[in-house]
Amino acid sequence: MAFVRRQLSLRASHLLDKFSTSGVQKGFGGGGYYSQKASLSSEQSVGKLIEEENVGCLGSNDEEVAKIREKFDLAKKRFLEIPDALERMPKMDPKGIYVNKNLRLDSIQVYGFDYDYTLAHYSPSLQNLIYDQAKQHLVNELKYPDVCLETKYDPSFPIRGLYYDKLKGCLLKLDFFGSIEPDGCYFGRRKLSRKEIEELYGTRHIGRDQARELVGLMDFFCFSEVCLIADIVQYFVDAKLEFDASYVYQDVRRAIQHCHRSGLVHRGILSDPDKYLVKNGQFLSFLKMLRENGKKLFLMTNSPYYFVDGGMRYMLEDSLGGDSWRELFEVVIAKANKPDFYTSEHPFRCYDIEKDNLAFHKVDKFLPNKVYYHGCLKSFLQITKWNGPEVIYFGDHLFSDLRGPSKAGWRTAAIIHELEHEIKIQNEGSYRFAQAKFHIIQELLGKLHSTVSSKHACDSYKSLLSELNDERQNARRTMRNMFNDSFGATFLTDTGQESAFAYHIHQYADVYTSKPENFMFYQPEAWLHVPYDVKIMPHHLKVSSSLFET
């Protein structure tokens, strides 16, 4: 901005110099102003001055374009030097803990965990299971056409953190400031052009009124939901049938919730655990390490106990021996009904494992090796006497798992499984090469726009502008396709800015990492600090064009 202001200032002084400024008079309030005593007073003389100025503009434009062209040609030659320069840059740790708010681990006495996608790791096959069960419910129970059964889950299409517009039927990827990604708007399975986005929304920025119609798709189960919504919308479009976009969302949401609440998904997983669950003895080592350091642990999940028990026994059967996994936790809470758990006043009920029913006595203390259902945060704190800041809760769902604890004063840790994969991509030389090219071209475009008047654009200006835009678009496309062909990266937009999903992590997660057991690589008394040079998301390392300056 300083560069732009300087150019504007020089431009203004250039215009003033065209006039004779032989005297200074006093203006309103005593300020001085220049009084032009024009020796040419006719309209023809003024026209002559403007004509001279235009000629000067054109000459100035040509000179500036030539300078930027020279820099662009030099940059293209020096693109070959980028890989060597990148070797000097540090790489981010795919298993690191990334910090939004300073956290002293020595002050944390209580560790709480969600189950699904936090302690339990699932294979990609789970999304196929949920998708297939949900589409069968749409056809069998909600009477959607049989042809909908022919669709198949496409793992290459969805990412986490998208929004669905219930009014217009579009799937949207938004940036940190709530603007639609130009290449991240789909109606069904068709990507909309920038022109179509402008026709639908008027602007790429989503205002408050429009935001009310958006629903966030934020947890790890949303992959199948995103894909099914897109496929159902596409069916209506192909069949040329009128439909209400909000009904599509409601029906798909109902179908997926039915699969979870009825136990279809749970029974499907437990019937073939080798296919859906990933054994992970490392998190057992992490839990034991915490206990050895005097920390208290609790498990709180929305899933029913039989499902959690079956999964934990399968995942830990090679590591636990004859011990019960429940002995690792001071408290085990199932069917917690998050996020209502954090605001309701539902009482806890003790669950009888043998009889599969709930006891009727009042729960005023948590007993070892027992399981509890329902409950609320208010009762939980009254019974445990655990103060908010000494508790950290790990979960994968930013709204259901982390928003409530964050507002209640607990510390929060977001578990984002795709983080590890995306950091590995960002560490690759090919990605960093494209990112460096993008930033170099972006800087040249900025100089071109700020120093050359498009009002007097010459052919050399238009040619250079076209070449720079093509180079930038190629770099963006290269970076995008390394993550996901449809929506790109989860945390980043195509221009390298943070996404709306990144915004929610920044808002509700004190720290974030790919797996809870990554904490094993840190001392229990470690102080986790926000990096001094953090942009918005601390795991993002920006490639600066200054690396390639001599």
Side-chain angles (χ1 to χ4, degrees):
M1 287 302 294
F3 179 77
V4 175
R5 285 195 294 271
R6 176 174 158 272
Q7 292 297 325
L8 292 173
S9 176
L10 290 172
R11 191 92 179 102
S13 64
H14 176 64
L15 284 168
L16 284 171
D17 288 341
K18 284 289 184 182
F19 296 92
S20 170
T21 54
S22 58
V24 178
Q25 299 179 354
K26 292 292 181 181
F28 179 76
Y33 69 95
Y34 286 104
S35 170
Q36 83 174 47
K37 292 192 176 178
S39 58
L40 301 173
S41 57
S42 68
E43 291 183 9
Q44 181 182 4
S45 300
V46 173
K48 184 177 180 182
L49 286 172
I50 293 173
E51 185 179 340
E52 289 176 3
E53 172 58 22
N54 285 343
V55 171
C57 286
L58 291 172
S60 176
N61 277 358
D62 286 336
E63 291 174 10
E64 292 298 337
V65 170
K67 289 178 184 177
I68 297 171
R69 163 67 70 182
E70 185 179 352
K71 289 181 180 179
F72 181 38
D73 291 339
L74 178 61
K76 286 192 287 187
K77 292 177 183 177
R78 297 180 67 184
F79 283 161
L80 299 174
E81 301 171 15
I82 289 177
D84 293 334
L86 292 175
E87 290 299 320
R88 303 196 298 269
M89 290 183 60
K91 293 187 176 182
M92 306 308 290
D93 182 3
K95 296 184 178 181
I97 298 172
Y98 295 95
V99 187
N100 291 324
K101 298 175 187 174
N102 292 342
L103 177 66
R104 289 179 53 173
L105 293 182
D106 61 348
S107 69
I108 302 297
Q109 303 304 317
V110 183
Y111 285 71
F113 300 91
D114 183 32
Y115 174 71
D116 292 303
Y117 284 108
T118 300
L119 292 181
H121 300 282
Y122 295 104
S123 73
S125 299
L126 179 58
Q127 300 298 336
N128 289 280
L129 175 68
I130 297 171
Y131 182 94
D132 289 343
Q133 290 181 345
K135 74 180 181 183
Q136 288 167 7
H137 184 80
L138 287 175
V139 172
N140 296 335
E141 302 299 327
L142 302 182
K143 306 307 177 186
Y144 274 64
D146 289 347
V147 69
C148 292
L149 292 174
E150 297 174 7
T151 61
K152 296 187 181 299
Y153 175 69
D154 177 7
S156 68
F157 179 70
I159 63 169
R160 182 159 31 166
L162 300 177
Y163 289 82
Y164 178 68
D165 186 338
K166 294 185 293 182
L167 187 63
K168 298 179 173 67
C170 295
L171 284 164
L172 309 171
K173 181 182 178 183
L174 304 182
D175 69 13
F176 196 90
F177 302 102
S179 295
I180 302 170
E181 245 309 66
D183 291 322
C185 180
Y186 278 75
F187 186 66
R189 297 300 291 270
R190 185 177 71 85
K191 182 169 70 174
L192 301 188
S193 67
R194 296 190 182 203
K195 184 178 179 181
E196 288 174 313
I197 293 173
E198 289 175 3
E199 288 173 352
L200 269 177
Y201 292 95
T203 172
R204 281 178 45 223
H205 184 72
I206 297 294
R208 236 177 235 178
D209 291 340
Q210 290 173 317
R212 294 191 186 100
E213 299 298 330
L214 303 185
V215 287
L217 304 166
M218 298 289 167
D219 69 351
F220 215 77
F221 291 116
C222 76
F223 289 83
S224 47
E225 185 175 5
V226 167
C227 201
L228 190 53
I229 287 173
D231 289 341
I232 295 299
V233 169
Q234 192 61 52
Y235 160 73
F236 283 118
V237 171
D238 292 342
K240 296 181 173 55
L241 297 173
E242 290 188 11
F243 68 98
D244 188 308
S246 65
Y247 294 165
V248 172
Y249 172 74
Q250 291 169 10
D251 290 346
V252 171
R253 188 69 180 157
R254 269 173 59 192
I256 287 181
Q257 286 180 341
H258 168 77
C259 296
H260 286 284
R261 292 172 179 172
S262 67
L264 275 174
V265 172
H266 301 145
R267 291 191 294 272
I269 292 171
L270 294 181
S271 68
D272 195 354
D274 289 331
K275 182 177 181 179
Y276 299 112
L277 281 165
V278 178
K279 290 194 175 185
N280 179 21
Q282 197 172 32
F283 88 76
L284 175 62
S285 301
F286 169 53
L287 299 181
K288 286 183 175 179
M289 182 197 77
L290 291 175
R291 289 182 62 87
E292 289 167 1
N293 282 278
K295 309 298 183 182
K296 296 180 173 62
L297 313 181
F298 70 92
L299 174 64
M300 181 169 63
T301 174
N302 286 351
S303 294
Y305 172 74
Y306 80 88
F307 175 65
V308 177
D309 181 55
M312 291 288 277
R313 284 192 287 108
Y314 171 80
M315 291 185 291
L316 300 177
E317 64 183 355
D318 298 330
S319 309
L320 268 179
D323 297 332
S324 169
W325 62 266
R326 294 195 306 275
E327 295 174 5
L328 296 166
F329 301 95
E330 266 69 26
V331 186
V332 174
I333 302 169
K335 284 198 172 182
N337 197 31
K338 296 174 292 180
D340 290 347
F341 177 91
Y342 300 110
T343 55
S344 74
E345 295 196 4
H346 294 155
F348 281 102
R349 302 285 297 273
C350 187
Y351 174 71
D352 190 316
I353 297 171
E354 302 298 330
K355 297 179 180 178
D356 186 27
N357 62 17
L358 299 176
F360 294 99
H361 62 268
K362 181 179 179 180
V363 175
D364 52 14
K365 61 180 178 179
F366 293 129
L367 300 175
N369 213 26
K370 294 291 185 180
V371 176
Y372 298 90
Y373 268 30
H374 312 316
C376 63
L377 178 63
K378 180 180 178 181
S379 297
F380 182 82
L381 297 178
Q382 288 174 344
I383 294 172
T384 61
K385 303 296 190 291
W386 292 336
N387 294 320
E390 68 178 1
V391 180
I392 187 169
Y393 187 70
F394 292 71
D396 73 293
H397 196 300
L398 299 178
F399 298 148
S400 294
D401 289 332
L402 302 182
R403 181 162 56 183
S406 178
K407 291 182 177 180
W410 288 3
R411 308 308 302 270
T412 53
I415 302 303
I416 314 296
H417 282 264
E418 54 267 53
L419 176 67
E420 187 171 332
H421 174 66
E422 293 207 355
I423 290 179
K424 286 178 179 177
I425 291 176
Q426 291 178 47
N427 284 339
E428 290 179 10
S430 54
Y431 177 84
R432 290 184 164 200
F433 178 72
Q435 188 184 23
K437 285 181 66 175
F438 176 83
H439 285 301
I440 292 169
I441 299 302
Q442 190 82 336
E443 281 191 22
L444 291 174
L445 274 168
K447 289 179 181 178
L448 186 64
H449 286 306
S450 63
T451 61
V452 179
S453 171
S454 59
K455 191 175 181 181
H456 306 290
C458 51
D459 290 341
S460 59
Y461 168 88
K462 294 175 182 176
S463 173
L464 179 57
L465 180 64
S466 176
E467 287 182 54
L468 287 171
N469 278 327
D470 287 345
E471 284 281 1
R472 181 175 63 169
Q473 188 62 28
N474 288 337
R476 285 177 60 176
R477 190 180 300 112
T478 298
M479 290 188 290
R480 171 195 187 85
N481 292 344
M482 293 181 74
F483 295 98
N484 175 284
D485 291 341
S486 302
F487 294 100
T490 304
F491 296 89
L492 293 170
T493 65
D494 292 352
T495 58
Q497 301 301 312
E498 279 71 15
S499 65
F501 181 70
Y503 167 79
H504 291 302
I505 295 176
H506 190 74
Q507 190 174 20
Y508 297 122
D510 294 341
V511 297
Y512 61 98
T513 188
S514 61
K515 299 172 185 175
E517 53 267 29
N518 292 341
F519 275 70
M520 289 182 64
F521 304 118
Y522 295 76
Q523 294 297 323
E525 64 278 3
W527 288 28
L528 305 180
H529 290 278
V530 177
Y532 74 92
D533 60 345
V534 66
K535 302 294 186 272
I536 296 178
M537 300 302 292
H539 78 276
H540 289 158
L541 182 67
K542 304 286 169 108
V543 176
S544 172
S545 59
S546 62
L547 281 171
F548 317 107
E549 294 175 356
T550 55

